Every structure is written in structure tokens, then in C-alpha cells.
Amino acid sequence: MNEPSAPCRLRVVYAHGPQLQYISHLDLIRVFERAVRRARLPLAYTQGFNARPRISMASPLPVGMAGERELADFYLTERVPAGEFLSRLAPQLPPGLTLLSVEEVPRQGPSLASLVRAARYRAVLPAHYSLAEVQQRINELLQQAVLPRTRRAKKGRPTDYDLRPLIQALTVEPGADGPVVRMTLAALPGATGRPEEVLDALGYPPARASIVREEIILAPHAEAPAGEAGLLEDVGEVSDESGDFAGEDAP
């Protein structure tokens, strides 16, 4: 990651809208790679027979979920000011991907995925659930010392774990379309809280809720910006064109 061939590392905050909520993590990487190519930005690639774009995501967004402030690091073969990177890349992204800000970070710092500590989610439940009922279920859940759960593994046997210590905050508030459950869940290597698991523990079918990841929380003071920052206000409308790299960060 810290090769001389990638002297510039830019951290991008972007919104992943519902138009693209069913796109896979690897397909998202490809979308960004093609957009960078169209913008003629000097994206770095890994070495070897199967060279991959050096784009590092903080945490893959589950399929079916939108994200309001997602994070990705782009490694470039030459330095490009953050504002210029944003203004050239934003018009090349498809509807559903919106750049919010870009800042340069130290290229030799820790990987973006290793800095993730937690994430905030918003889940809108169907309107027929009453606010009082949801609040009661939350109170009962938070009183539990342990919440044994079983996670289905892609390979091998299912894994048993305790969901309770992964719930850092859990509240409900009224919303226009139904009760809004807000949760902050730990996102550590091997111990990641998932919003659909919390809803299931509350007794609500996750498939009937609209879940959005609002923010990914990084370790405090993990990195100071290395240079200037670019903001969305610097650019115009997005056009309608349509681990550590290319998925290596995926937990």
C-alpha cells in the first residue's frame, strides 16, 4: 500500500443512494474505477499479473442498504489536489453516487478498514407499529445481559456470538413513514454488529424495514489531513453518465 508508485492518498466521503443499493461491493469498485478512468485521474494499481485498482473501502455496504456518508481511499500515482480530484470525478459518477468531500491523508497511515470502530444506522419500521410498542421492546432488549445469536457463515459452520456488547446505542423516535429506530453498532474485526440482527432480536422482520447506514465512525484522531480538502460546493451537478484494494478490505 505504501509503495513509491502511489505518492498520493485521497479520502473520499460519498453518498450511496437507493438507486444503487443492490449493487455488490466488487461492482461498486468497478464503477469507481471506470469513473476514475473517464476522469483521466492517475489511479494506482497493484503490481502482479492481476493488477487491481488501489481503492480501499472503509466497510462494504450490505446489499440492499443505502449509505449517507461512506468512506473510500483512492491511491494515485501522482499528486492531485483534493478539490481537483472531486471536480473531475464527480461528473463521471452514475446517479446514486454523490461525492460529498475529499481530503488528502498521509499515504503511509494505517489502512482505512483498520480505523473503523462503529457505524450508525437508521431503520424505518412499517407505520402500523406503534412508537410505544417499539420503545417497550427496546427497553426489554437493552436490559438483557447477553443476546446469543448465530451468524450464518459463507463457508464452514455457523458462528455463535453475543450481540449485546455490540450495541452501543439504541433508540426510537417518531417518523413520517413509521417509527425510526436509530442504532450505533460496533464494527471491529471479528465483532461487527449488524442492524438486521438487532431488528430481528427486537422481533421485527428486517426485510420489512428500510435501513440506511448514516455514518461510519473511525478511531478518534486516527489521521490528520495531509493537504487541502475539496468540498461538494466546488462542483456542479452529477451527470447521468453512466480491505486493501478492490475488496481486500472486506471483513
Side-chain angles (χ1 to χ4, degrees), residues 151 161-169 184-188 190-194 198:
R151 179 165 293 163
Y161 72 102
D162 183 6
L163 175 63
R164 183 62 186 87
L166 304 181
I167 302 175
Q168 298 180 352
T184 303
L185 306 177
L188 303 172
T192 299
R194 300 182 184 280
V198 175

Side-chain angles (χ1 to χ4, degrees), residues 156-223:
R157 296 180 178 179
T159 302
D160 295 328
Y161 72 102
D162 183 6
L163 175 63
R164 183 62 186 87
L166 304 181
I167 302 175
Q168 298 180 352
L170 182 61
T171 61
V172 65
E173 60 189 50
D177 300 320
V180 180
V181 177
R182 295 187 181 278
M183 56 189 95
T184 303
L185 306 177
L188 303 172
T192 299
R194 300 182 184 280
E196 60 269 30
E197 293 285 343
V198 175
L199 292 178
D200 190 63
L202 287 169
Y204 300 116
R208 300 189 63 184
S210 175
I211 306 175
V212 174
R213 184 158 69 185
E214 297 179 319
E215 182 181 13
I216 296 172
I217 302 171
L218 302 183
H221 310 299
E223 289 176 313

Side-chain angles (χ1 to χ4, degrees), residues 29-243:
I29 294 287
R30 295 187 185 101
V31 168
F32 272 124
E33 179 189 10
R34 291 167 183 165
V36 169
R37 285 181 176 177
R38 288 195 295 270
R40 300 184 181 277
L41 290 163
L43 182 65
Y45 283 79
T46 60
Q47 298 181 352
F49 185 75
N50 293 314
R52 289 172 293 178
R54 299 186 66 177
I55 302 173
S56 176
M57 316 300 281
S59 177
L61 190 65
V63 174
M65 194 179 299
E68 294 181 340
R69 294 185 63 81
E70 298 297 294
L71 295 167
D73 280 356
F74 289 71
Y75 292 78
L76 307 179
T77 58
E78 59 187 72
R79 188 171 184 276
V80 176
E84 179 183 342
F85 181 89
L86 189 151
S87 63
R88 290 170 61 181
L89 180 59
Q92 305 301 330
L93 294 173
L97 282 181
T98 304
L99 299 187
L100 302 178
S101 67
V102 180
E103 67 176 3
E104 186 172 354
V105 296
R107 67 179 181 85
Q108 295 185 338
S111 71
L112 181 55
S114 71
L115 299 175
V116 177
R117 294 293 179 270
R120 293 191 179 95
Y121 298 90
R122 178 180 71 248
V124 180
L125 299 176
H128 64 266
Y129 293 116
S130 74
L131 192 67
E133 173 197 343
V134 179
Q135 184 64 68
Q136 178 62 31
R137 294 193 188 191
I138 288 177
N139 292 342
E140 293 174 356
L141 185 144
L142 293 179
Q143 290 174 0
Q144 303 297 315
V146 295
L147 289 171
R149 305 286 298 178
T150 300
R151 179 165 293 163
R152 292 174 296 177
K154 293 182 179 178
K155 297 180 180 179
R157 296 180 178 179
T159 302
D160 295 328
Y161 72 102
D162 183 6
L163 175 63
R164 183 62 186 87
L166 304 181
I167 302 175
Q168 298 180 352
L170 182 61
T171 61
V172 65
E173 60 189 50
D177 300 320
V180 180
V181 177
R182 295 187 181 278
M183 56 189 95
T184 303
L185 306 177
L188 303 172
T192 299
R194 300 182 184 280
E196 60 269 30
E197 293 285 343
V198 175
L199 292 178
D200 190 63
L202 287 169
Y204 300 116
R208 300 189 63 184
S210 175
I211 306 175
V212 174
R213 184 158 69 185
E214 297 179 319
E215 182 181 13
I216 296 172
I217 302 171
L218 302 183
H221 310 299
E223 289 176 313
E228 62 180 281
L231 301 176
L232 180 62
E233 292 74 29
D234 294 336
V235 300
E237 297 285 336
V238 174
S239 78
D240 60 356
E241 291 185 35
S242 296

